[in-house]
Amino acid sequence: MKVGLCTVSSKQRSIDEVLELAGVAGYDGVEIWGRDHVGDGSEETCRRITGTANEHGLEIASYGSYLRCGSDEFDDGLEHELGVADRLDAGTIRVWAGNRSYGEHDDDHWDRTLADLERLTERAAEHDLEVTVEKHGNTLTETLEGARNLIETIDDDRCGLNYQPGFSIPAAELEREAEALAPLSNQLHLQTTRERTGRERAPLSEAYYDLAAVLEPFLERGFDGYANVEFVSEERPYREAIQADLAYVRSLLE
């Protein structure tokens, strides 16, 4: 398992500064924030980003797009976002599955989201990209059941889940989720709070859940993707916060 840093963890910094700090800290790679950090997504911009990442010894593990399968905007954004991911030489493009929680969706929304995701996966393969689907609230992957059903229905090795522990979920349930969803995941996002349903992000070492237990089923299956630190505590300087979270995750992988 490799450890990456999501550049969205510091929206106010330039992409160049975040990449430098990630490299100094010793991260293996980064997920590039698909908004301000890529600007217009032009060839020139992406070439500069990849050059800076290479300079600091970082792989661009993922492009964090906001492409939302099942939405009216999907068709308009598809080719642009794939182009950005391709120009960044990213390994994976991250996307979202619909805009309704699983169980609150209708058949039409499910079918439309699946069709978009299947088309995206085929087009991404032409760019030598894998697809990772964010497990997130207000989407079809919000629950264990929804995430599992979606990825299993797609049934394509090029499309997996971007698993992340949700803050509203009891610790024991997170461990059950991880066990069930690890075989279907190709990326992870890591962030936490000290208390369930808390709002202030905390160091990963102070998570309300047992991060080692959440990572265990991934490690047991030889997961070779990225665990990306998505957001960090604001209680200490950013440089220290990203170093501390990296050190803690690495200690769990030894």
Side-chain angles (χ1 to χ4, degrees):
M1 183 183 296
K2 298 177 182 178
V3 187
L5 179 68
C6 295
T7 69
V8 73
S9 60
S10 187
K11 296 180 181 179
Q12 74 275 19
R13 287 179 170 82
S14 70
I15 182 63
D16 291 342
E17 184 179 0
V18 178
L19 292 175
E20 179 183 1
L21 292 171
V24 170
Y27 281 88
D28 298 309
V30 289
E31 178 188 281
I32 302 295
W33 181 33
R35 289 189 172 155
D36 291 359
H37 280 168
V38 292
D40 59 4
S42 67
E43 182 72 39
E44 181 181 359
T45 298
C46 292
R47 186 167 57 247
R48 179 178 57 79
I49 292 171
T50 56
T52 303
N54 290 337
E55 179 184 339
H56 295 292
L58 297 166
E59 181 180 17
I60 297 183
S62 181
Y63 169 54
S65 86
Y66 289 84
L67 195 61
R68 191 179 291 267
C69 301
S71 70
D72 293 338
E73 298 76 29
F74 177 79
D75 285 335
D76 291 339
L78 175 59
E79 295 305 324
H80 174 76
E81 294 299 270
L82 284 174
V84 174
D86 185 46
R87 290 189 287 275
L88 287 170
D89 198 24
T92 305
I93 182 169
R94 187 208 66 192
V95 301
W96 298 40
N99 53 20
R100 301 178 196 172
S101 299
Y102 188 79
E104 299 177 7
H105 67 283
D106 54 29
D107 290 344
D108 181 67
H109 189 60
W110 176 262
D111 293 342
R112 183 178 177 185
T113 301
L114 278 175
D116 285 350
L117 187 53
E118 288 172 343
R119 180 155 54 100
L120 167 66
T121 301
E122 291 294 331
R123 290 288 295 115
E126 296 173 16
H127 294 275
D128 200 25
L129 285 163
E130 288 191 0
V131 174
T132 191
V133 185
E134 180 112 354
K135 186 180 187 297
H136 202 277
N138 198 36
T139 74
L140 294 174
T141 60
E142 180 173 355
T143 64
L144 188 164
E145 182 183 8
R148 179 164 53 195
N149 285 353
L150 185 81
I151 301 301
E152 287 183 345
T153 301
I154 292 294
D155 191 24
D156 191 316
D157 290 342
R158 300 168 298 184
C159 180
L161 185 70
N162 189 142
Y163 179 70
Q164 57 184 4
F167 301 160
S168 65
I169 302 174
E173 176 64 15
L174 287 176
E175 293 177 26
R176 190 172 78 88
E177 268 195 355
E179 181 67 36
L181 297 176
L184 304 175
S185 300
N186 57 2
Q187 295 270 303
L188 290 93
H189 273 173
L190 303 178
Q191 57 170 310
T192 193
T193 55
R194 288 187 177 86
E195 298 178 357
R196 185 169 72 89
T197 72
R199 301 186 67 84
E200 298 297 325
R201 292 182 177 90
L204 290 173
S205 60
E206 299 178 29
Y208 76 87
Y209 57 87
D210 185 345
L211 181 56
V214 168
L215 293 177
E216 184 176 1
F218 291 88
L219 296 174
E220 287 178 347
R221 288 169 174 79
F223 178 82
D224 61 357
Y226 267 84
N228 293 313
V229 175
E230 187 175 19
F231 289 103
V232 296
S233 169
E234 296 182 354
E235 299 168 350
R236 63 179 76 179
Y238 180 71
R239 181 192 298 265
E240 294 179 16
I242 65 172
Q243 290 174 337
D245 278 354
L246 173 62
Y248 182 64
V249 175
R250 286 255 170 86
S251 74
L252 301 178
L253 304 183
E254 294 176 351

